[in-house]
Amino acid sequence: MFTGIITGVGRIAAIHDLGSSLDHGKRLTIEAPPGYLDDVGLGDSIALNGACMTVTTFTPAQSQFTIDISAESLDKTAGLDQAGPINLEKALRAGDRLGGHIVSGHVDGVGHVSHFAQVGESWELRILAPHGLAKYLAYKGSITINGVSLTVNQVSDQAQGCDISINLIPHTVQNTALGHLHNGSRVNLEIDTVARYVERMLSQDNRPQQDKA
């Protein structure tokens, strides 16, 4: 589990194929900030742009670690198939502060940046989310974008999908990789866990059947 509070901005430094076919995944070498891996062990979970991955090797002295990502995960996520900056978050430990919201590290869909511009001291980020996620998105609700816990300020259903508006304060832009986004960028989205269960409970198709006499 995670909180959506980014603990470091790393960089995908190298990408290696794990096989010769499209069914094979890739091995990513990640450069982390100095000292970031001091409390990390083999097999630990680290979220990369919101996608939970397992540390397969690490070299703390060089601040590098590797993860293996399957072809399925590559197909269902964005930004994990090319070199560049990436948001990092270590798994939540018992007793840690829950500064954002409960995040599973499982990407529910890929959205597209439709607008990203500075407004005053902050930035407005608008994302076009897939239609299938629209029912989980609400005004002042939580959403995870590339691993960052954020609050939805506006929701508008469009023919192409669900357009949501997010306000990014300077601290978020400066301390995450979101500042590298631009119009057309693909981003990983994870809906709020609470919204997921509420939708399940309210679904007409999932009402419990009464026992027949």
Side-chain angles (χ1 to χ4, degrees), residues 6 8-13 30-31 48-49 78-88 146 173 175-181 186 188:
I6 301 306
V9 177
R11 179 178 175 273
I12 298 178
I30 312 296
E31 293 179 350
L48 309 181
N49 270 2
L80 301 181
D81 57 354
Q82 56 191 0
I86 193 167
N87 291 321
L88 304 176
N146 275 0
V173 173
N175 291 279
T176 71
L178 295 183
H180 294 274
L181 296 177
R186 300 170 71 241
N188 295 321

Short mmCIF file of all heavy atoms in Angstrom, two decimals, residues 6 8-13 30-31 48-49 78-88 146 173 175-181 186 188:
data_model
loop_
_atom_site.label_atom_id
_atom_site.label_comp_id
_atom_site.label_asym_id
_atom_site.label_seq_id
_atom_site.Cartn_x
_atom_site.Cartn_y
_atom_site.Cartn_z
N ILE A 6 4.89 11.45 -2.93
CA ILE A 6 6.14 11.06 -3.59
C ILE A 6 7.31 11.28 -2.65
O ILE A 6 7.46 12.36 -2.05
CB ILE A 6 6.33 11.87 -4.89
CG1 ILE A 6 5.15 11.62 -5.84
CG2 ILE A 6 7.64 11.50 -5.57
CD1 ILE A 6 4.88 10.17 -6.14
N GLY A 8 10.57 10.63 -3.66
CA GLY A 8 11.77 10.93 -4.43
C GLY A 8 11.48 10.92 -5.91
O GLY A 8 10.55 10.25 -6.37
N VAL A 9 12.22 11.70 -6.65
CA VAL A 9 12.13 11.68 -8.12
C VAL A 9 13.37 10.99 -8.65
O VAL A 9 14.50 11.44 -8.42
CB VAL A 9 12.01 13.10 -8.70
CG1 VAL A 9 12.00 13.04 -10.23
CG2 VAL A 9 10.75 13.78 -8.20
N GLY A 10 13.17 9.87 -9.32
CA GLY A 10 14.26 9.11 -9.90
C GLY A 10 14.30 9.27 -11.40
O GLY A 10 13.67 10.18 -11.97
N ARG A 11 15.01 8.37 -12.04
CA ARG A 11 15.15 8.42 -13.49
C ARG A 11 15.32 7.01 -14.03
O ARG A 11 16.11 6.22 -13.50
CB ARG A 11 16.36 9.27 -13.88
CG ARG A 11 16.62 9.39 -15.38
CD ARG A 11 17.79 10.29 -15.67
NE ARG A 11 18.11 10.32 -17.09
CZ ARG A 11 18.92 9.44 -17.69
NH1 ARG A 11 19.52 8.51 -16.96
NH2 ARG A 11 19.13 9.51 -18.99
N ILE A 12 14.55 6.68 -15.06
CA ILE A 12 14.77 5.43 -15.77
C ILE A 12 16.02 5.62 -16.62
O ILE A 12 16.03 6.40 -17.57
CB ILE A 12 13.57 5.05 -16.65
CG1 ILE A 12 12.32 4.84 -15.79
CG2 ILE A 12 13.88 3.78 -17.45
CD1 ILE A 12 11.07 4.51 -16.59
N ALA A 13 17.09 4.92 -16.22
CA ALA A 13 18.39 5.13 -16.87
C ALA A 13 18.64 4.14 -18.00
O ALA A 13 19.38 4.46 -18.95
CB ALA A 13 19.51 5.02 -15.84
N ILE A 30 16.79 1.88 -12.53
CA ILE A 30 16.32 3.15 -12.00
C ILE A 30 17.42 3.83 -11.20
O ILE A 30 18.02 3.20 -10.32
CB ILE A 30 15.09 2.97 -11.10
CG1 ILE A 30 14.04 2.07 -11.77
CG2 ILE A 30 14.50 4.32 -10.71
CD1 ILE A 30 13.44 2.62 -13.02
N GLU A 31 17.68 5.08 -11.49
CA GLU A 31 18.58 5.89 -10.68
C GLU A 31 17.74 6.64 -9.65
O GLU A 31 16.82 7.37 -10.01
CB GLU A 31 19.35 6.87 -11.55
CG GLU A 31 20.34 6.22 -12.50
CD GLU A 31 21.07 7.23 -13.37
OE1 GLU A 31 20.67 8.42 -13.35
OE2 GLU A 31 22.03 6.83 -14.05
N LEU A 48 6.47 3.10 -9.11
CA LEU A 48 7.08 3.89 -10.18
C LEU A 48 5.96 4.55 -10.97
O LEU A 48 5.18 3.87 -11.64
CB LEU A 48 7.91 3.01 -11.11
CG LEU A 48 8.95 2.07 -10.49
CD1 LEU A 48 9.69 1.32 -11.58
CD2 LEU A 48 9.92 2.85 -9.63
N ASN A 49 5.85 5.88 -10.87
CA ASN A 49 4.75 6.60 -11.51
C ASN A 49 3.40 5.97 -11.15
O ASN A 49 2.49 5.88 -11.99
CB ASN A 49 4.92 6.66 -13.03
CG ASN A 49 5.71 7.88 -13.46
OD1 ASN A 49 6.15 8.68 -12.65
ND2 ASN A 49 5.88 8.03 -14.77
N ALA A 78 1.67 3.82 -18.48
CA ALA A 78 2.34 4.81 -19.32
C ALA A 78 3.65 5.24 -18.66
O ALA A 78 3.75 5.27 -17.43
CB ALA A 78 1.45 6.02 -19.54
N GLY A 79 4.64 5.57 -19.47
CA GLY A 79 5.87 6.15 -18.96
C GLY A 79 6.87 5.19 -18.39
O GLY A 79 7.88 5.61 -17.82
N LEU A 80 6.63 3.87 -18.53
CA LEU A 80 7.58 2.89 -18.00
C LEU A 80 8.35 2.18 -19.10
O LEU A 80 9.03 1.20 -18.84
CB LEU A 80 6.84 1.86 -17.14
CG LEU A 80 6.07 2.42 -15.94
CD1 LEU A 80 5.40 1.29 -15.17
CD2 LEU A 80 6.99 3.22 -15.03
N ASP A 81 8.25 2.70 -20.30
CA ASP A 81 8.93 2.07 -21.44
C ASP A 81 9.93 3.01 -22.10
O ASP A 81 10.37 2.76 -23.22
CB ASP A 81 7.90 1.60 -22.47
CG ASP A 81 7.00 2.74 -22.97
OD1 ASP A 81 7.11 3.87 -22.42
OD2 ASP A 81 6.22 2.50 -23.91
N GLN A 82 10.29 4.09 -21.42
CA GLN A 82 11.24 5.03 -21.99
C GLN A 82 12.04 5.70 -20.89
O GLN A 82 11.57 5.84 -19.75
CB GLN A 82 10.50 6.08 -22.82
CG GLN A 82 9.44 6.84 -22.05
CD GLN A 82 8.55 7.67 -22.95
OE1 GLN A 82 8.74 7.70 -24.17
NE2 GLN A 82 7.60 8.37 -22.38
N ALA A 83 13.25 6.11 -21.22
CA ALA A 83 14.10 6.77 -20.24
C ALA A 83 13.53 8.14 -19.89
O ALA A 83 12.88 8.79 -20.70
CB ALA A 83 15.51 6.91 -20.80
N GLY A 84 13.79 8.56 -18.64
CA GLY A 84 13.32 9.87 -18.22
C GLY A 84 12.97 9.90 -16.75
O GLY A 84 13.06 8.89 -16.04
N PRO A 85 12.56 11.06 -16.22
CA PRO A 85 12.23 11.21 -14.80
C PRO A 85 11.00 10.40 -14.41
O PRO A 85 10.09 10.21 -15.23
CB PRO A 85 12.00 12.72 -14.64
CG PRO A 85 11.62 13.18 -16.01
CD PRO A 85 12.39 12.33 -16.97
N ILE A 86 10.99 9.95 -13.16
CA ILE A 86 9.89 9.11 -12.71
C ILE A 86 9.65 9.33 -11.21
O ILE A 86 10.59 9.52 -10.44
CB ILE A 86 10.21 7.62 -13.01
CG1 ILE A 86 8.99 6.75 -12.85
CG2 ILE A 86 11.38 7.12 -12.17
CD1 ILE A 86 9.18 5.36 -13.43
N ASN A 87 8.38 9.33 -10.82
CA ASN A 87 8.02 9.48 -9.41
C ASN A 87 8.24 8.18 -8.66
O ASN A 87 7.86 7.11 -9.14
CB ASN A 87 6.55 9.90 -9.28
CG ASN A 87 6.31 11.32 -9.77
OD1 ASN A 87 7.12 12.20 -9.55
ND2 ASN A 87 5.18 11.53 -10.43
N LEU A 88 8.83 8.28 -7.48
CA LEU A 88 9.10 7.11 -6.64
C LEU A 88 8.38 7.25 -5.31
O LEU A 88 8.34 8.33 -4.72
CB LEU A 88 10.60 6.97 -6.37
CG LEU A 88 11.55 6.90 -7.57
CD1 LEU A 88 12.99 6.86 -7.09
CD2 LEU A 88 11.23 5.69 -8.43
N ASN A 146 0.09 9.51 -11.96
CA ASN A 146 1.51 9.14 -11.95
C ASN A 146 2.04 8.99 -10.53
O ASN A 146 3.16 9.40 -10.21
CB ASN A 146 2.34 10.15 -12.73
CG ASN A 146 2.36 9.85 -14.22
OD1 ASN A 146 1.75 8.89 -14.69
ND2 ASN A 146 3.05 10.69 -14.99
N VAL A 173 4.90 20.64 -8.10
CA VAL A 173 5.59 20.73 -9.39
C VAL A 173 7.09 20.57 -9.21
O VAL A 173 7.77 19.91 -10.00
CB VAL A 173 5.26 22.06 -10.08
CG1 VAL A 173 6.10 22.24 -11.35
CG2 VAL A 173 3.78 22.13 -10.42
N ASN A 175 8.72 19.04 -6.68
CA ASN A 175 9.18 17.84 -5.98
C ASN A 175 8.62 16.54 -6.54
O ASN A 175 8.75 15.49 -5.91
CB ASN A 175 8.84 17.96 -4.50
CG ASN A 175 9.67 19.02 -3.80
OD1 ASN A 175 10.81 18.80 -3.42
ND2 ASN A 175 9.09 20.20 -3.64
N THR A 176 8.01 16.61 -7.71
CA THR A 176 7.57 15.41 -8.42
C THR A 176 7.95 15.55 -9.89
O THR A 176 8.44 16.61 -10.32
CB THR A 176 6.04 15.20 -8.32
OG1 THR A 176 5.38 16.19 -9.12
CG2 THR A 176 5.56 15.30 -6.88
N ALA A 177 7.70 14.51 -10.65
CA ALA A 177 7.99 14.56 -12.09
C ALA A 177 6.82 15.12 -12.89
O ALA A 177 6.88 15.15 -14.12
CB ALA A 177 8.34 13.16 -12.59
N LEU A 178 5.76 15.58 -12.22
CA LEU A 178 4.61 16.12 -12.94
C LEU A 178 4.96 17.38 -13.72
O LEU A 178 4.31 17.71 -14.71
CB LEU A 178 3.46 16.41 -11.97
CG LEU A 178 2.83 15.21 -11.27
CD1 LEU A 178 1.65 15.65 -10.41
CD2 LEU A 178 2.38 14.15 -12.27
N GLY A 179 5.98 18.10 -13.27
CA GLY A 179 6.38 19.31 -13.98
C GLY A 179 6.90 19.06 -15.38
O GLY A 179 7.01 19.99 -16.18
N HIS A 180 7.20 17.79 -15.70
CA HIS A 180 7.71 17.45 -17.03
C HIS A 180 6.57 17.11 -18.01
O HIS A 180 6.84 16.82 -19.18
CB HIS A 180 8.66 16.25 -16.94
CG HIS A 180 9.92 16.55 -16.19
ND1 HIS A 180 11.03 17.11 -16.77
CD2 HIS A 180 10.23 16.36 -14.87
CE1 HIS A 180 11.98 17.27 -15.86
NE2 HIS A 180 11.52 16.81 -14.70
N LEU A 181 5.33 17.13 -17.53
CA LEU A 181 4.21 16.80 -18.40
C LEU A 181 3.97 17.92 -19.42
O LEU A 181 4.36 19.07 -19.21
CB LEU A 181 2.94 16.58 -17.57
CG LEU A 181 2.94 15.42 -16.60
CD1 LEU A 181 1.64 15.39 -15.80
CD2 LEU A 181 3.15 14.09 -17.32
N ARG A 186 0.82 10.94 -21.73
CA ARG A 186 0.01 9.86 -21.17
C ARG A 186 0.38 9.70 -19.70
O ARG A 186 1.56 9.75 -19.33
CB ARG A 186 0.26 8.55 -21.93
CG ARG A 186 -0.09 8.64 -23.40
CD ARG A 186 0.37 7.42 -24.18
NE ARG A 186 -0.42 6.24 -23.87
CZ ARG A 186 0.05 5.12 -23.36
NH1 ARG A 186 1.33 5.02 -23.05
NH2 ARG A 186 -0.76 4.09 -23.13
N ASN A 188 -0.57 7.66 -15.77
CA ASN A 188 -1.20 6.55 -15.06
C ASN A 188 -2.22 7.09 -14.07
O ASN A 188 -1.94 8.03 -13.31
CB ASN A 188 -0.15 5.74 -14.31
CG ASN A 188 0.82 5.06 -15.25
OD1 ASN A 188 0.43 4.55 -16.30
ND2 ASN A 188 2.10 5.05 -14.89
#
